[in-house]
Amino acid sequence: MSVQKATTIAILKDLIRINSINPFHIVKEDPEDSSTWRLKGNEQDIRVYLEALLQKNGFKVSRQLAHVDASGQKHYNILAEKGAGDRAILFYGHMDTANAVPWESVEEALTPREAKRNIDGEEKDIIIGLGANDMKAGLAVIANAFGAIEPQDYKIKIAFGVDEEFYSLGSHALIKSDFLADVSAIIVPEIGDGPNPTYGPRTIGLGRLGRCEYCITVFGTGGHGAQSDHPLFISAADECAKIVLKIAERKKTHVDQYTFVEDNTPGNAKMICGSFFVNRVEAGGGSLSIPAIGRVIVDWTFTPHFTIAQGQKYLEDMIEDMYAAGELRKVTIAGTFKKVHVARAKRPTVPSDAYGISADHPWVHYVQKVIDKQFGFANYNFGYSVADENVFYRAYPHIPVLVVGPRGDHAHLAGEWVDVESVVHLEKLFQEIVAGALPFL
């Protein structure tokens, strides 16, 4: 084992031991005004560790305020750079992890463990631990790959963000600054989930699906529950149930397909599809009253062929069709028609549309060429899950944002793991990419 390999893997183990589990906790001063919501964070300890490592590796490091929680605690992104010039390549990672609930205990989740795993018929060394794949291996590689590199006529930039797993407060703070103004390309070593298998640094992710939650607010008349069969009483719960069934019916015919690459490697998909489902249904307050209000939350994931606005219109048109067909009852309160209402669910940051980078983009060709030279390019993929990459592309659509990460699996599950060899290969790949990047920036 080389010194560089031992150092990077040791860093990964250190990062797994640091508790950066996102608390997924919101204090809502005013539930109807998302600007008053305060999210709790847990990236202080990992931030201190990474800041020291980046400084040791010759980076100029600063902090960027991302949010302040209800207790007054400030939570910061890490911004780092080295080199000079008016062009830069950015490597990005998020510092928080999903929660440890699937694991036996938090202690088990935060204890890195070495093991063996059969990968493509070959026994490989892996590291198991919460965040090993999503995305502390990527953090370790980014923070440690460029210590011996002094870029000429361009800059290497690094950003480590907070709160990716919840509302992406970190990436939204980042795009409001000028840190990306001189960036020509972005690489994110995130999980490579998608319709194709991911081969770690041999796979290029060309984009990600978008996502939005819609809230369908449904009204009822109210009324005493002891007279629930009264012909004038309308239950919001009953109307919600009709909408849920209609959504299940519409899902069967909805088509949202996107071809992300025209000529993928043999045996690999070229297309990805969007979908939607009912995430939550709320109605009634538990008293002996007919529910007067209810909500159906629809979680919609979509391709670059579909937009957030289209999703809302689709649901609005569906409601109109249900009224026209007599499937929904019209509720009138004090002479006013209380129509079913569709809106984007409230959140402290805006949702993101999908994005896709053409495989013919010069930066994609360059990265693929470097991969092919190092290990042999395997395939393209397209991410199922929305991430901070969507935020960057929404703000800077001219910047190619690629996902090239280590090989691992079980993100958000117990037993999350990453392939040790792929971590080492990813570090070497990033070094080779920046060594020849200047003509493509």
Side-chain angles (χ1 to χ4, degrees):
M1 180 181 291
S2 68
V3 174
Q4 187 67 38
K5 176 181 177 181
T7 301
T8 304
I9 298 304
I11 291 168
L12 169 57
K13 292 178 179 178
D14 284 346
L15 294 176
I16 291 172
R17 293 186 185 99
I18 298 172
N19 186 343
S20 61
I21 297 171
N22 196 315
F24 299 99
H25 177 72
I26 307 177
V27 175
K28 299 180 180 180
E29 180 180 324
D30 179 354
E32 296 303 314
D33 182 1
S34 59
S35 68
T36 69
W37 298 5
R38 297 290 176 261
L39 276 65
K40 192 171 178 58
N42 189 32
E43 298 94 351
Q44 295 92 322
D45 292 342
I46 194 170
R47 186 199 71 225
V48 170
Y49 180 99
L50 290 167
E51 285 175 335
L53 180 57
L54 288 168
Q55 289 168 344
K56 178 182 177 182
N57 283 327
F59 282 86
K60 177 184 176 183
V61 180
S62 62
R63 297 176 182 177
Q64 178 190 52
L65 181 64
H67 68 103
V68 181
D69 67 25
S71 68
Q73 175 71 52
K74 296 179 178 179
H75 302 275
Y76 296 93
N77 294 331
I78 300 173
L79 307 182
E81 61 181 277
K82 64 161 50 178
D86 58 2
R87 291 173 288 178
I89 176 174
L90 173 70
F91 292 87
Y92 176 83
H94 65 83
M95 296 183 285
D96 62 325
T97 70
N99 62 47
V101 171
W103 298 73
E104 288 295 324
S105 66
V106 173
E107 181 182 15
E108 182 201 28
L110 301 181
T111 301
R113 179 164 59 89
E114 297 180 1
K116 300 284 187 180
R117 187 180 185 89
N118 187 291
I119 302 175
D120 294 338
E122 185 178 352
E123 191 173 60
K124 297 277 192 176
D125 294 322
I126 64 171
I127 301 293
I128 298 172
L130 179 63
N133 184 39
D134 184 18
M135 60 171 301
K136 290 184 174 180
L139 296 179
V141 169
I142 293 173
N144 202 46
F146 310 116
I149 297 175
E150 295 298 332
Q152 302 294 318
D153 300 322
Y154 71 100
K155 288 180 281 190
I156 299 173
K157 285 191 167 185
I158 291 172
F160 292 147
V162 303
D163 186 55
E164 188 269 354
E165 299 288 0
F166 204 0
Y167 282 117
S168 290
L169 290 179
S171 59
H172 279 86
L174 186 57
I175 63 172
K176 292 177 183 177
S177 71
D178 62 357
F179 191 71
L180 299 183
D182 60 354
V183 170
S184 300
I186 302 174
I187 293 181
V188 184
E190 254 278 20
I191 57 173
D193 62 330
N196 292 321
T198 176
Y199 299 98
R202 299 176 60 212
T203 295
I204 296 176
L206 294 173
R208 288 191 177 277
L209 296 176
R211 176 177 177 257
C212 185
E213 285 186 309
Y214 303 94
C215 179
I216 305 176
T217 303
V218 183
F219 300 97
T221 59
H224 201 295
Q227 296 177 284
S228 62
D229 57 352
H230 192 293
L232 297 182
F233 289 175
I234 300 173
S235 168
D238 290 349
E239 301 305 289
C240 282
K242 296 174 185 176
I243 291 171
V244 170
L245 290 174
K246 180 61 68 173
I247 289 172
E249 177 186 318
R250 289 290 187 95
K251 282 179 61 175
K252 298 175 183 178
T253 57
H254 176 69
V255 178
D256 175 22
Q257 297 177 334
Y258 174 71
T259 300
F260 60 89
V261 61
E262 293 294 339
D263 186 22
N264 210 347
T265 48
N268 282 274
K270 305 174 185 179
M271 181 182 295
I272 192 167
C273 299
S275 62
F276 55 88
F277 69 100
V278 173
N279 185 301
R280 192 165 68 255
V281 182
E282 306 167 351
S287 66
L288 190 58
S289 295
I290 302 297
I293 192 166
R295 293 179 179 86
V296 177
I297 309 300
V298 180
D299 199 316
W300 203 309
T301 302
F302 39 84
T303 77
H305 284 328
F306 204 79
T307 67
I308 292 169
Q310 283 177 290
Q312 182 168 339
K313 188 175 187 306
Y314 181 100
L315 294 172
E316 290 171 341
D317 290 346
M318 183 191 77
I319 296 299
E320 291 291 347
D321 291 345
M322 293 181 74
Y323 275 126
E327 295 171 322
L328 287 176
R329 297 179 66 184
K330 294 185 177 181
V331 174
T332 301
I333 305 296
T336 301
F337 173 36
K338 302 289 286 185
K339 187 177 181 180
V340 172
H341 177 66
V342 180
R344 300 176 193 178
K346 295 184 185 301
R347 50 177 288 155
T349 56
V350 298
S352 289
D353 282 314
Y355 84 94
I357 307 299
S358 170
D360 292 326
H361 192 288
W363 180 251
V364 178
H365 278 303
Y366 168 66
V367 172
Q368 181 180 340
K369 182 178 179 181
V370 178
I371 292 172
D372 209 32
K373 180 179 178 182
Q374 291 295 314
F375 331 108
F377 174 74
N379 62 349
Y380 294 110
N381 214 351
F382 199 97
Y384 285 131
S385 58
V386 70
D388 286 340
E389 296 93 276
N390 299 70
V391 178
F392 302 144
Y393 190 81
R394 170 162 46 84
Y396 294 91
H398 63 283
I399 302 177
V401 185
L402 302 182
V403 176
V404 184
R407 190 171 193 180
D409 206 349
H410 290 182
H412 298 214
L413 295 172
E416 181 177 354
W417 62 270
V418 68
D419 172 26
V420 170
E421 183 181 56
S422 77
V423 175
V424 179
H425 284 176
L426 184 66
E427 182 171 4
K428 176 64 174 175
L429 175 65
F430 284 2
Q431 292 166 345
E432 291 297 319
I433 286 174
V434 300
L438 184 59
F440 299 92
L441 296 178

